[in-house]
Amino acid sequence: MFLHEFFARLSHSAVGAWVNDSVPVFASVLAMHVAGLSLTLGIVLAGNVSVIWPGFAGHGPANERAPLAGLLSPFLLGLAITGLSGALLVSNAPDSYYFNALFAPKFQLLAVAVLAQLALAGIARSQTTMARAASRGLAVVASVAWIGVAILGRWLGFI
Amino acid sequence: MSAVPGWVVTLHDLPASVALRESELLFPVLQTVHVLGVVLLFGGIAVLDLRLLRLLWPRRSPAAVVTAMLPVSWMGFAMLVASGLPEFAAQAVALHANPYLRAKLVLLSLALLNIALAHGTVFRGLGRWSSDASVPASARAFAAASLVLWSGVIYTGRMIAFT
């Protein structure tokens, strides 16, 4: 219930009221959520594909040793934009979102995606055979989970 | 209120448009494909543009990133068109005069024009962009314009539902 209380409080805050009382502001936050998610997934999928398929986006030993180098900070920025805008969107109707049948699965899948992505960022530099296999497995799991998060997010509006 | 053009009514009344409008499953599926299309298109373009602007993946050659991400973006664009056209047909009467749809189409045209101009001019030298120093300033200008235009497409696209 912590999340529900958080969204309810956000809904009654000055920022929540500002977002929820204005259609252009609410639509801007919605557009920010889509843009943030697109940025996050673009970075994630480009990086993960280059882990699965080392020749993607440039051959070379440096790329194969550190396939995700230079992607972590922009990924975290995209995630922050998506998370912040998402929280403001949920604050528009905390009850209907929180008790939506897809809300919990979306967050569970998001947790899997983020954890798999961070674990991947941690082991992708390792050159052992086992680490490479684990990296590829994590890259697949994370990519599928991220796409699932986007799909569940859209279906929240239909259930 | 202006009269609805004949072609809009014809499109709206097509059996496929009616079936789509009345389906509880098809419309959400199409909208999901549309969102995934946006994610692939804008995600791919954002990675490509941010690389050209030196804000992402600095160890990769700009040419390699552009070459890798362009097909991803085009796949997203194909998904957008394939889902967007039936979505419009199903709601043609309600949407045809929507100011945000018109604004979105204008921005979309400008974004595509930006791509065409970039590819017709500075992107011809793409093969030589092995380092940041070899990327011309005009390529960065095209990348910045691209980010602004596609962000506008997303914003106006979201506003359609609120008008």
Side-chain angles (χ1 to χ4, degrees), chain A residues 61-123:
Chain A
N63 293 344
E64 291 179 23
R65 272 199 303 277
L68 302 176
L71 291 184
L72 187 60
S73 300
F75 159 71
L76 292 175
L77 176 68
L79 195 62
I81 292 171
T82 314
L84 182 65
S85 54
L88 289 170
L89 293 177
V90 173
S91 79
N92 179 247
D95 289 344
S96 60
Y97 276 110
Y98 190 78
F99 296 108
N100 186 301
L102 293 180
F103 189 78
K106 178 185 170 176
F107 270 79
Q108 287 157 359
L109 202 54
L110 178 63
V112 170
V114 171
L115 290 176
Q117 203 61 50
L118 293 177
L120 176 60
I123 67 165

Side-chain angles (χ1 to χ4, degrees), chain B residues 61-63 121-131 133-136:
Chain B
S61 95
T121 56
V122 68
F123 272 56
R124 285 173 185 254
L126 176 65
R128 295 188 294 276
W129 300 354
S130 56
S131 66
S134 57
V135 177

Side-chain angles (χ1 to χ4, degrees), chain B residues 2 5 11 14 20 24 30 40 45 61 70 74 88 90 100 107 117 120 138-139 151:
Chain B
S2 60
L11 193 61
L14 286 174
L20 185 55
E24 286 186 10
L30 267 187
L40 282 182
I45 282 178
S61 95
L70 271 178
W74 282 118
F88 174 76
Y100 284 100
L107 288 170
L117 282 174
S138 53
S151 299

Side-chain angles (χ1 to χ4, degrees), chain A residues 23-24 26-28 30-31 34-35 38-39 41-43 46-47 50 56-58 63 66-67 69-71 74 150-151 154-155 158, chain B residues 25 28-29 31-32 35-36 38-40 42-44 46-47 50 55-60 64-65 68-69 72 154-155 158-159 162:
Chain A
V23 169
F26 184 77
S28 300
L30 196 50
V34 175
S38 302
L39 175 65
L41 261 72
I43 292 167
S50 72
F56 182 77
N63 293 344
L71 291 184
I151 292 173
R154 189 63 198 91
W155 276 79
F158 297 126
Chain B
L25 185 63
V29 167
Q31 290 213 330
T32 305
V35 166
L36 289 177
V38 171
V39 165
L40 282 182
F42 188 76
V47 169
L50 291 174
L55 296 171
L56 193 80
W57 244 358
R59 290 193 194 179
R60 303 272 169 155
V65 173
M69 298 315 292
V72 176
I154 290 180
Y155 176 73
R158 289 313 314 170
M159 282 301 286
F162 294 96

